[in-house]
Amino acid sequence: MQQHTVNYPGSKAPAAADLGTPGLAHPTPAYLASLPTDPATLLTVIRKRLPAGKPGTDTQQVFLAVATLVTRADALLSPELRAGLCRALATLPGITRQPGAADLAGRTGVAISRTDGGVRVDLILDPASSRVIGVRQVIVDPAKDGATVPAGTVQWWSTTNQKVVGSAGATS
């Protein structure tokens, strides 16, 4: 995974500790290799590693943790771990599957979605590889979210296309 560091004149590069402890929010190849691929065991591990006291339901926390992990480290996930994560999400209550979802680049995939508090988060996967191609957040019930925009409004949207390269700054 490529690490981007910006140094301004007169500043120092961050210390290694500033980059974060390897985990769900800061996945490293070694951390990802340590994760189980069995969906039930994977869910147990993820639940144990969620930050305490964060708002939201357990299910929403797990969904968002997995969505964050796969969007940050998709290119580093083994096919077995990616499949385990998808199967783990499928066991959560309230998860829906929407074929034909498109990302910002127009690529179609399957959205794995969860709605909480009037907002739906869609994790858009390539149907052939299960790699993440996009993520979006959509208002589905403005009354529940306190939104002043109509249902169906996309709050944010991103498209991804990750790959592992040999060195920092390389593109292929």
Side-chain angles (χ1 to χ4, degrees):
M1 183 150 118
Q2 186 173 342
Q3 177 69 44
H4 295 281
T5 303
V6 176
N7 291 317
Y8 296 97
S11 71
K12 292 183 189 178
D18 295 338
L19 299 177
T21 303
L24 294 173
H26 301 286
T28 62
Y31 174 78
L32 295 171
S34 76
L35 292 175
T37 56
D38 171 70
T41 307
L42 195 49
L43 280 177
T44 300
V45 168
I46 290 168
R47 283 186 169 107
K48 285 181 181 176
R49 295 180 182 172
L50 290 174
K54 201 166 183 181
T57 65
D58 172 72
T59 300
Q60 186 69 0
Q61 296 273 338
V62 170
F63 179 80
L64 293 175
V66 171
T68 299
L69 175 64
V70 298
T71 55
R72 288 185 178 176
D74 186 65
L76 297 175
L77 299 176
S78 68
E80 297 81 12
L81 181 54
R82 187 178 291 111
L85 289 164
C86 288
R87 288 184 183 112
L89 286 180
T91 67
L92 296 175
I95 296 296
T96 59
R97 182 180 182 276
Q98 302 171 30
D103 73 352
L104 284 171
R107 299 174 293 182
T108 57
V110 176
I112 305 299
S113 307
R114 180 137 197 322
T115 301
D116 191 58
V119 178
R120 185 184 76 230
V121 175
D122 299 330
L123 189 58
I124 306 170
L125 308 175
D126 178 286
S129 67
S130 297
R131 294 209 45 197
V132 175
I133 59 173
V135 181
R136 67 179 167 221
Q137 183 171 306
V138 181
I139 299 289
V140 293
D141 187 346
K144 283 186 180 178
D145 187 49
T148 58
V149 295
T153 300
V154 176
Q155 285 188 308
W156 56 258
W157 202 352
S158 69
T159 293
T160 67
N161 188 14
Q162 298 179 14
K163 64 180 172 180
V164 177
V165 295
S167 63
T171 58
S172 59

